[in-house]
Amino acid sequence: QRRSQQETQREGFPKQKSVLLSCAQHSVRPSLSKLADALAVQRCMVEQLRVEAGLNRLSVSQTVAELIKYCEDRSADDMLINGFTKQTENPFKEKGGCVAL
Amino acid sequence: MEEQDLTGEIETLKKKLAEEQGKLSDADLILSCQKIEPITQVNIKVRKVLKGHQGKVLCMSWSQDKRHLVSTSHDGKLLVWDAFTTNKEHAISMATTWVMACAYSPSGQFVACGGLDNKCSIYPLLEEEPVTKKRLVGTHTSYLACCQFNTSDHQVLTGSGDSTCVLWDVESGQMIQSFHGHAGDVQALDLSPSESGRVFVSAGCDRAANVWDMRSGQCVQLFDSHESDVNSVRFYPSGDAFVTGSDDASCRLFDLRTDREVAVYKKESVLFGCNAVDFSLSGRLLFAGYSDYVLNVWDVLKAKRVAMLYGHENRVSCLRVVPDGTALAGFKDSAA
């Protein structure tokens, strides 16, 4: 059973779950009617969707090929996959030797 | 009536977006990677333990010198460590508790942090008593959840429980740009490694990850396929994609140029929320810390888990790979 969101919240910082529509909050004065609020929110949404629709997108096949190439080009240098060739190069390794008492 | 016209246009635009995304969906990341050699084992050992925090460690940040790191905890302490020797170089007691955000400046001379005080403050590490030379960078109307320096020591980007992100000028304390669009608390942000100073991604309790144009303040892309709060976000090292970690127990990889989710990292046996994510240097490994005390290591290209790292007695709250990829630091309740 997945832990409920409330349980997770009790352990960690209590995150608020406000569902304010930021568009309405920042563009409409509180004294206007509900209808005007709804219109402002819709105008905001249309603007946002227009921006998103205008985006230049590439195909998945193209970007996946580039992701794979990026990984493969750098895999030899990735210490967390390969480890260090010589442990003496590892700055986090415990230093051996004697301790003066 | 204007309302009907707007509703109509919203529907048309949404359909157009769905069609466009459908047309470009001509491949699958996992299928395309079937011929790639799998990662058979990961040799990662706990080398150092950084003990010193009394309370839950909430945030950490590596210095660009790949050796020092800063961590902050829920009891208001900020500690600066030398990770090679495990020595604590600075200990600062803040006036607030729940310090959820901290960042090392690019020069290594400052740390920025904040939390329940709603403020982002900066401390100069070269001073004898950094706490006396504290400077206020900016204030939100709710808690500070995350912060990062924007390419230099002069600008800081913050994300807050008030659902906004703001770019501040450190010297004047002025707001350079604000970013409105999240419908819930912002939990995490990350600056693009390839579009420095121009693009960043933020994620929050509205289950969404938003990609922003820093100059205009416009949200240019929105990804909302998670089923619960998104706690952590990190760009893929190339800057072309980013990964998110969520309370829905999954991590997801979103590609910016195709504008869609390309992979989901989840398993039936992984039930707890993911709080922290980071990539290895090549982007092949995804490290994800969860609320059930485990750090799962995922093969990014095959979406398979390759290792589980233990060594933690409580939930992993934050983790970061050092800038040159040689090590990984993960903080849980009181030690790394």
Side-chain angles (χ1 to χ4, degrees):
Chain A
Q1 271 292 300
R2 206 163 275 171
R3 288 176 93 202
S4 69
Q5 280 173 356
Q6 285 141 340
E7 278 176 31
T8 327
Q9 269 189 310
R10 270 199 288 275
E11 268 199 11
F13 182 76
K15 292 180 279 191
Q16 291 124 253
K17 295 198 198 253
S18 51
V19 200
L20 302 165
L21 285 161
S22 297
C23 292
Q25 221 189 357
H26 298 283
S27 62
V28 177
R29 276 179 260 129
S31 58
L32 290 177
S33 69
K34 275 194 190 159
L35 180 61
D37 284 352
L39 272 178
V41 166
Q42 287 200 306
R43 275 191 217 112
C44 221
M45 273 194 73
V46 166
E47 267 316 301
Q48 183 58 38
L49 286 169
R50 279 183 189 156
V51 166
E52 292 181 35
L55 200 66
N56 233 356
R57 289 178 188 78
L58 297 179
S59 66
V60 178
S61 55
Q62 200 176 341
T63 55
V64 158
E66 292 185 24
L67 269 176
I68 295 173
K69 183 162 196 312
Y70 189 92
C71 271
E72 295 188 326
D73 285 351
R74 285 160 191 75
S75 60
D77 296 328
D78 194 334
M79 295 301 163
L80 290 168
I81 299 179
N82 308 316
F84 289 90
T85 39
K86 290 188 211 159
Q87 276 302 315
T88 44
E89 287 170 3
N90 182 353
F92 296 99
K93 181 142 176 55
E94 307 81 15
K95 305 265 180 286
C98 310
V99 176
L101 293 169
Chain B
M1 210 194 132
E2 200 191 346
E3 197 180 351
Q4 280 176 347
D5 293 335
L6 287 174
T7 315
E9 192 171 355
I10 290 174
E11 285 313 307
T12 316
L13 285 167
K14 282 188 180 169
K15 269 199 202 131
K16 184 180 174 206
L17 275 170
E19 263 172 33
E20 288 247 344
Q21 290 182 334
K23 269 190 260 172
L24 296 163
S25 202
D26 57 351
D28 179 85
L29 175 69
I30 316 308
L31 291 175
S32 307
C33 295
Q34 275 180 341
K35 298 228 173 76
I36 294 179
E37 283 295 310
I39 306 261
T40 42
Q41 62 169 6
V42 166
N43 277 327
I44 296 182
K45 287 192 193 147
V46 175
R47 290 285 184 198
K48 305 284 177 196
V49 180
L50 304 176
K51 278 197 196 296
H53 277 292
Q54 307 286 320
K56 283 199 215 302
V57 178
L58 300 175
C59 189
M60 65 153 296
S61 168
W62 282 99
S63 164
Q64 289 300 309
D65 72 4
K66 305 156 210 165
R67 175 174 182 153
H68 290 90
L69 62 94
V70 61
S71 59
T72 52
S73 68
H74 106 274
D75 62 357
K77 286 275 192 315
L78 181 148
L79 295 177
V80 178
W81 310 81
D82 174 345
F84 289 178
T85 60
T86 74
N87 288 341
K88 287 183 266 302
E89 297 200 348
H90 297 274
I92 297 174
S93 286
M94 296 184 55
T96 181
T97 55
W98 285 94
V99 188
M100 300 174 66
C102 67
Y104 226 116
S105 77
S107 70
Q109 292 178 30
F110 301 93
V111 286
C113 53
L116 266 194
D117 58 352
N118 299 354
K119 300 185 173 129
C120 179
S121 309
I122 206 170
Y123 293 87
L125 295 179
L126 300 180
E127 296 284 337
E128 280 236 358
E129 298 278 325
V131 71
T132 57
K133 295 283 196 294
K134 167 176 118 167
R135 186 209 284 260
L136 176 64
V137 171
T139 309
H140 277 273
T141 53
S142 185
Y143 66 89
L144 195 77
C146 46
C147 64
Q148 258 191 43
F149 280 87
N150 179 30
T151 70
S152 74
D153 288 8
H154 306 297
Q155 292 185 356
V156 174
L157 183 62
T158 56
S160 166
D162 68 12
S163 79
T164 69
C165 297
V166 175
L167 181 64
W168 307 90
D169 175 80
V170 171
E171 194 62 44
S172 62
Q174 295 290 327
M175 191 184 290
I176 299 173
Q177 183 62 263
S178 65
F179 305 91
H180 300 273
H182 274 291
D185 307 14
V186 174
Q187 295 292 287
L189 60 85
D190 195 26
L191 285 155
S192 169
S194 55
E195 297 279 336
S196 293
R198 288 193 293 256
V199 172
F200 79 94
V201 62
S202 63
C205 292
D206 58 351
R207 310 178 190 171
N210 292 6
V211 179
W212 304 89
D213 175 328
M214 289 172 78
R215 282 170 298 195
S216 65
Q218 178 81 47
C219 169
V220 292
Q221 287 174 273
L222 194 153
F223 302 89
D224 59 357
S225 49
H226 270 294
E227 293 159 22
S228 186
D229 299 5
V230 187
N231 300 317
S232 180
V233 69
R234 199 78 174 132
F235 264 100
Y236 189 77
S238 69
D240 292 331
F242 64 88
V243 75
T244 48
S246 163
D247 274 349
D248 69 8
S250 74
C251 298
R252 288 169 204 250
L253 185 68
F254 297 95
D255 186 295
L256 265 67
R257 295 171 312 157
T258 46
D259 189 36
R260 54 180 295 121
E261 176 189 288
V262 291
V264 184
Y265 306 95
K266 66 176 180 188
K267 238 174 126 66
E268 288 234 343
S269 54
V270 176
L271 297 168
F272 287 76
C274 174
N275 306 307
V277 289
D278 205 354
F279 285 104
S280 69
L281 187 83
S282 64
R284 182 68 192 268
L285 296 181
L286 168 65
F287 298 99
Y290 295 75
S291 296
D292 64 348
Y293 324 152
V294 171
L295 211 153
N296 286 324
V297 185
W298 299 88
D299 178 337
V300 170
L301 300 182
K302 292 188 173 287
K304 289 237 177 316
R305 181 171 61 185
V306 294
M308 292 168 79
L309 303 177
Y310 298 95
H312 290 275
E313 289 133 25
N314 214 311
R315 59 180 216 127
V316 182
S317 49
C318 48
L319 65 89
R320 273 285 182 267
V321 173
V322 71
D324 63 0
T326 48
L328 164 71
F331 275 91
K332 40 99 184 181
D333 233 23
S334 50

